[in-house]
Amino acid sequence: MNTTGLNILGLSAYYHDSAACLVSDGQIVAAAQQERFSRIKHDAGFPVDAIRYCLNSKGIELSDLDRVVFYESPMRKFGRLMATYLSFAPFGASSFTQAMTAWLPRKLFLRVELRRELRRLANSGAPQPPLVFGNHHRSHAASAFYPSPFNRAAILCLDGVGEWETTTAWLGDGNRIIPLWAIDFPHSLGLFYSAFTQYLGFKVNSGEYKLMGLAPYGRPIFSDMICKTLIDLKPDGSFRLNLDYFEYPTGFRMVSRRFEELFGGPCREPEGPLTQKHMDLARSVQAVIEEVILRLAATIKRDTGAENLCLAGGVALNCVANGRLLREGPFKDLWIQPASGDAGGALGAALSAWHGDLGHPRSGDSYDRMSGSFLGPDYSTEFVCLELDKIGAQYEILEDSELFDRVAGLLASGNVVGWVAGRMEFGPRALGARSILGDPRNPKMQSIMNLKIKFRESFRPFAPAVLAESVGEYFEMDRPSPYMLLVAPVHPKLRIPDITEDLFGIARLNVPRSTIPAVTHVDYSSRVQTVHRETNPRFHALLTRFRDITGCPMLINTSFNVRGEPIVCTPRDAYRCFMRSGIDYLVIQNCLMDKRNQLPTPEDQSWQVQYALD
């Protein structure tokens, strides 16, 4: 037994968003997705770099680990795959052949594969820690409940599919997670939403948030058709899909020809024109998803009597549904795992081992245990300077007070600033450590940042990062939202009367709707992040200085990357993205850079080749 505490490494890999997490004596020490190091978005490979980071963050070796926990059971997943193809035979023969080609040599014998990869990380001759396999939805449930501030809570996990389960309900009580009920594959809320994602021309497992952002431009005129034809929704929230309209159980596509006929045409081509019909479909399926979640929440409330609810799984990233659940649902409060997708499964696997398998009690903290989700790598100003000198960057070093003054002034003057400060975020949202910032009062900023900075679709909304103590003055929200996972209405006193009643679709985009137009969506909503001094003091200080200058205690906060690129991790990643985009200024720790002072390099515009559009 090692002398560095009891160390558990959680892993998720081989589907999408591979990640690693280190839990030491019950504390979350480090967590990161592999994509941030490999620069391959949603990287599914073995998370070798994320593991190295986690081990290095505590200065330990692989042999110092007490166990490694993989987030799901490959044998149960293989059993589901075989059972599905047998039940649909002879349909899906070509898909079955391709699936077996992937599974038989690698995934079926995952213990051997993982041992081989871990051996490469170990010192020669050093013993390897025990390797344990978890359960996909239990890992989600553990990631939702154990870091939450609640001692007792209902838990709802919603995703595409784990081994068999697609929707699960649990009761978290102390250090126990008790299973209640489940909905199994092929009936899946996540895959149902992804089918519409594909039909609307976006990438599955990547573009679902685009569908959510497109929905407010439309009308829910197809909701009744969807409920009558595609999904049989019961009063308790349980559901069954009409599989005649879907191909995902055995095919290469999400939707069938019959699905396309139902909606009057083939799937939209990626990057093709967006019509009002596409927007209406997005709004309609979003409305259906919200109704399913509200009914499921009512059922789990009735089953548990719990006052609070924890959420995880990819569907829990639907912040519009989360906001409605908070406002209209039966629970006093919600807590949503910020890394709700498969990356968070690594965290849940490690915590499940610590609390569930080993029986250790939870701490009595009143705050959650995610440290603001700032669990990734950090870089000192000294290291940053060394890196910038190597690439010939021109920068100045400023003390904190001067830095915050300068940057707040630059933002107030209409500049866009790349901001790298402290430990990188774990999960899909930039929360003020790897962010691009702008002035939410500027009516042109939403268009500027979409088209010239992020190189993404014009309809996409931006989120406000607001001082936690001021959130109620600007939004109809009375509680923290530190992880940007709740949508709330903009406060009525800030709204501009709607003059777009005769306009449809994108024509409504450029009409200001509030005094913070760059973060107000067409339905007067915002995806709110509250910024707290306790978890992110530097970002809080910048927002405070911006408020002192402008009277506005918020900034636009979007992830620091261009379209198709993972969020930046290192100083070099940040500088490269800065030079390839229309960002005006870059801050990395205490180093400030002006784009006009930098020498262009031949690769500055090569991101279009390097990163496939998401």
Side-chain angles (χ1 to χ4, degrees):
M1 181 66 64
N2 67 71
T3 59
T4 56
L6 200 154
N7 300 304
I8 300 173
L9 183 72
L11 300 180
S12 64
Y14 302 129
Y15 183 47
H16 59 86
D17 294 299
S18 295
C21 173
L22 178 64
V23 170
S24 183
D25 288 334
Q27 300 301 309
I28 305 168
V29 174
Q33 296 111 292
Q34 177 63 16
E35 68 164 17
R36 306 296 172 84
F37 305 94
S38 68
R39 313 308 299 155
I40 300 170
K41 196 161 188 178
H42 303 301
D43 194 342
F46 182 75
V48 58
D49 300 296
I51 293 172
R52 286 197 181 104
Y53 156 68
C54 287
L55 296 177
N56 290 340
S57 68
K58 200 184 177 193
I60 62 175
E61 304 288 344
L62 192 73
S63 57
D64 293 318
L65 296 172
D66 293 85
R67 65 178 61 186
V68 176
V69 189
F70 192 71
Y71 78 129
E72 65 180 10
S73 167
M75 291 303 295
R76 282 194 73 229
K77 181 166 276 193
F78 181 72
R80 185 255 301 168
L81 188 70
M82 289 296 296
T84 300
Y85 280 113
L86 287 172
S87 66
F88 282 89
F91 300 105
S94 59
S95 175
F96 174 78
T97 301
Q98 181 171 310
M100 290 304 99
T101 301
W103 269 93
L104 290 178
R106 186 180 195 183
K107 295 183 180 180
L108 183 57
F109 304 104
L110 193 59
R111 182 178 294 276
V112 175
E113 174 75 11
L114 290 170
R115 283 288 184 206
R116 182 185 303 116
E117 294 288 356
L118 290 169
R119 195 175 300 117
R120 294 172 182 169
L121 285 163
N123 290 330
S124 178
Q128 283 200 33
L131 177 60
V132 180
F133 290 91
N135 170 279
H136 188 106
H137 267 248
R138 179 172 284 276
S139 294
H140 276 320
S143 78
F145 177 64
Y146 288 134
S148 80
F150 310 135
N151 189 55
R152 188 177 188 274
I155 310 165
L156 189 58
C157 301
L158 306 156
D159 66 1
V161 60
E163 292 89 357
W164 272 102
E165 300 86 355
T166 68
T167 301
T168 54
W170 314 71
L171 174 64
D173 189 0
N175 67 347
R176 298 183 304 150
I177 292 179
I178 304 163
L180 301 177
W181 44 262
I183 298 172
D184 287 345
F185 184 86
H187 305 289
S188 165
L189 199 61
L191 294 175
F192 172 72
Y193 201 74
S194 291
F196 280 87
T197 299
Q198 184 180 80
Y199 185 73
L200 293 176
F202 305 128
K203 283 188 178 180
V204 172
N205 292 329
S206 174
E208 284 77 8
Y209 58 94
K210 297 184 184 183
L211 190 160
M212 183 177 64
L214 186 64
Y217 294 96
R219 303 156 297 175
I221 59 176
F222 295 103
S223 293
D224 287 345
M225 178 193 293
I226 290 170
C227 287
K228 288 177 182 177
T229 309
L230 299 182
I231 182 170
D232 179 15
L233 176 61
K234 303 300 184 184
D236 65 358
S238 61
F239 59 89
R240 292 182 65 84
L241 302 184
N242 185 341
L243 299 176
D244 292 339
Y245 292 86
F246 302 92
E247 284 190 8
Y248 63 77
T250 58
F252 295 109
R253 303 194 325 152
M254 297 298 297
V255 301
S256 69
R257 298 300 178 193
R258 195 169 176 180
F259 186 106
E260 294 178 316
E261 291 170 2
L262 178 67
F263 294 113
C267 296
R268 169 181 168 259
E269 289 296 322
E271 311 306 312
L274 280 166
T275 67
Q276 185 62 47
K277 180 180 177 181
H278 294 132
M279 299 171 199
D280 293 340
L281 278 169
R283 180 69 186 93
S284 299
V285 70
Q286 177 66 31
V288 172
I289 288 285
E290 291 170 17
E291 183 60 30
V292 176
I293 292 173
L294 282 168
R295 293 189 189 186
L296 288 170
T299 297
I300 195 173
K301 169 69 174 178
R302 182 197 65 211
D303 291 348
T304 64
E307 288 191 341
N308 302 303
L309 176 67
C310 298
L311 295 170
V315 179
L317 294 171
N318 192 310
C319 51
V320 177
N322 295 342
R324 189 175 170 197
L325 179 57
L326 181 63
R327 293 189 299 273
E328 302 177 29
F331 291 95
K332 177 181 176 182
D333 205 357
L334 306 179
W335 193 85
I336 306 152
Q337 168 53 239
S340 278
D342 275 15
L347 168 63
L351 290 175
S352 184
W354 174 258
H355 294 294
D357 298 344
L358 299 176
H360 292 287
R362 298 171 68 214
S363 65
D365 296 341
S366 58
Y367 297 101
D368 73 45
R369 297 165 57 198
M370 289 296 295
S371 301
S373 211
F374 301 111
L375 298 167
D378 190 8
Y379 302 93
S380 68
T381 297
E382 292 74 18
F383 178 85
V384 172
C385 291
L386 289 172
E387 290 292 284
L388 294 177
D389 289 340
K390 289 176 184 177
I391 55 181
Q394 302 299 307
Y395 62 92
E396 52 183 321
I397 304 174
L398 303 174
E399 294 296 326
D400 280 357
S401 59
E402 185 179 1
L403 177 70
F404 300 144
D405 282 346
R406 288 274 297 277
V407 175
L410 291 170
L411 288 163
S413 299
N415 292 287
V416 177
V417 177
W419 178 262
V420 176
R423 298 184 71 178
M424 182 181 68
E425 302 91 340
F426 180 52
R429 306 292 184 220
L431 301 171
R434 304 291 187 277
S435 294
I436 299 174
L437 309 176
D439 186 347
R441 304 167 304 155
N442 187 333
K444 298 180 180 179
M445 192 56 68
Q446 193 257 5
S447 176
I448 290 171
M449 293 183 75
N450 263 332
L451 301 178
K452 296 183 179 181
I453 311 296
K454 301 282 284 186
F455 305 107
R456 68 185 197 181
E457 299 91 344
S458 62
F459 68 83
R460 303 267 294 277
F462 285 105
V466 58
L467 290 173
E469 53 269 33
S470 300
V471 65
E473 301 172 30
Y474 289 83
F475 305 98
E476 293 185 308
M477 176 177 281
D478 61 356
R479 66 199 68 207
S481 177
Y483 302 122
M484 206 184 282
L485 286 171
L486 295 170
V487 163
V490 172
H491 200 290
K493 70 180 181 182
L494 304 179
R495 298 182 189 180
I496 297 172
D498 189 358
I499 59 171
T500 65
E501 293 181 355
D502 297 328
L503 300 177
F504 292 95
I506 300 299
R508 303 167 62 198
L509 174 64
N510 295 319
V511 178
R513 294 184 168 271
S514 78
T515 56
I516 46 172
V519 293
T520 303
H521 210 3
V522 293
D523 59 352
Y524 292 108
S525 69
S526 285
R527 177 161 50 95
V528 179
Q529 177 201 357
T530 55
V531 180
H532 303 257
R533 184 182 289 107
E534 296 82 3
T535 52
N536 198 347
R538 291 179 67 80
F539 195 34
H540 189 278
L542 176 63
L543 282 164
T544 300
R545 190 68 190 109
F546 186 78
R547 179 203 62 193
D548 294 343
I549 294 173
T550 66
C552 178
M554 78 182 74
L555 290 167
I556 298 172
N557 178 15
T558 189
S559 58
F560 197 156
N561 61 318
V562 293
R563 186 179 174 192
E565 178 189 20
I567 295 174
V568 301
C569 177
T570 68
R572 289 201 180 203
D573 296 337
Y575 187 80
R576 187 184 304 114
C577 186
F578 169 57
M579 293 300 294
R580 290 175 172 178
S581 67
I583 298 172
D584 300 302
Y585 291 85
L586 172 62
V587 176
I588 309 180
Q589 301 295 55
N590 286 77
C591 299
L592 173 64
M593 284 151 273
D594 183 335
K595 174 70 69 62
R596 296 169 299 182
N597 296 335
Q598 312 305 313
L599 294 175
T601 61
E603 67 165 15
D604 285 349
Q605 300 304 319
S606 65
W607 70 270
Q608 294 99 328
V609 176
Q610 183 175 355
Y611 302 119
L613 295 181
D614 61 3

